[in-house]
Amino acid sequence: MPITVVGSIAYDTVKTPFGERERMLGGAAVHFALAASFFDEVRVVGPVGEDFGEQQVAVLEARGVDVSDVERVSGGRTFFWQGEYGWDLNSRETLDTQLGVFEGFQPKLSERSRSSEVLFLANIQPDLQLQVRAQLPRARFVALDSMNLWIDLAREALVRAIGSVDCVILNDAELRQLTGRPNLVSAAREVLSWAPSSPSADGLARGPRVIVAKQGEYGAALITREGFFALPAYPLESVIDPTGAGDTFAGGLVGYIAAHPDEELSDDLLRRAMAHATVLASFNVEEFGTERVQRLTGREIVARIGELHAMTQFSGAPLELLG
Ligand code: AMP
């Protein structure tokens, strides 16, 4: 099923203990699209400025991503983000965010982008997420990402946006902050409870049935009404730049689901999607920005899925316990 993604298309300046890059291609929609492009057709919606190069567009085109709804705003500047990571890469400080063309952005989706059956609302102002969501009322699967900024500034709108999607993908700390619950499982269960008992007539207010809590280098957890699943991150000896890992993870997860149009959204399908998300994210962090994913191959993904599968298996090992 074709996938539409709306979100930031950016220039990122990033410093990690292993080096730095200035104004490299980034943005949530870009990281998502590159990852999801391994699974299905991806259509990107978002604004860029006059400073956005053809070379950057070509990176998306090389992976077959449809960029016809990437809107070039004349006289505008592309969204810019600057961040710096601590020595163990677990802490990140945002040094600069310049909204540029995102200020005043009104998403205009072509007929083609509106016809997608799968939609990913990357981290943008929740009212904009809602606007885009309303333009795809018949989408079969809709997922959303957000961040602490919107929980602080626009919680009500965010809760409304969450009420209009099937799947919420957040960092574990954000889930706790959103619900005010210190326990991750209970926080996820609370968000699941925001789903209405019957979906609205226009199909928009159906409410989340899948919660994914990203836990950085510790992996990710999946919470549904039926169950719980978790995977560790793929163990890497060298991590260079975690920027975009969350969006790449989302691209793997949503992409895998989109590639299985005839399967019900079962926990079994979601577990396999989690594995693909984990593997895609692991490649993303091996180099700066989109560098590694740009030259990634399907064969490399499949090989790493096999390794992840092997390292997360264990037998029942029944044992007569004392007591
Ligand atoms: P992640 O590392 O998954 O949190 O994603 C980082 C990406 O999100 C970078 O490529 C940034 O360009 C982009 N980004 C950072 N802050 C924002 C923001 N406030 N709104 C939209 N995108 C952002």
Side-chain angles (χ1 to χ4, degrees), residues 102 122-131 146 150 153-154 157-158 161:
F102 255 98
N123 165 33
I124 49 172
Q125 216 284 342
D127 284 310
L128 286 180
Q129 293 180 316
L130 276 163
Q131 274 183 37
S146 192
W150 305 124
L153 294 184
L158 178 59

Side-chain angles (χ1 to χ4, degrees), residues 292-303:
R292 181 66 180 95
V293 177
Q294 278 185 45
R295 13 168 259 283
L296 185 60
T297 64
R299 197 181 284 239
E300 289 174 309
I301 297 171
V302 171

Side-chain angles (χ1 to χ4, degrees), residues 8 10 12 26-28 31 79 81 92 97 123 147 149 242-247:
S8 57
D12 289 345
H31 285 287
F79 179 90
W81 177 78
R92 172 168 88 184
T97 303
N123 165 33
M147 70 188 294
L149 177 75
T243 307
D247 307 304

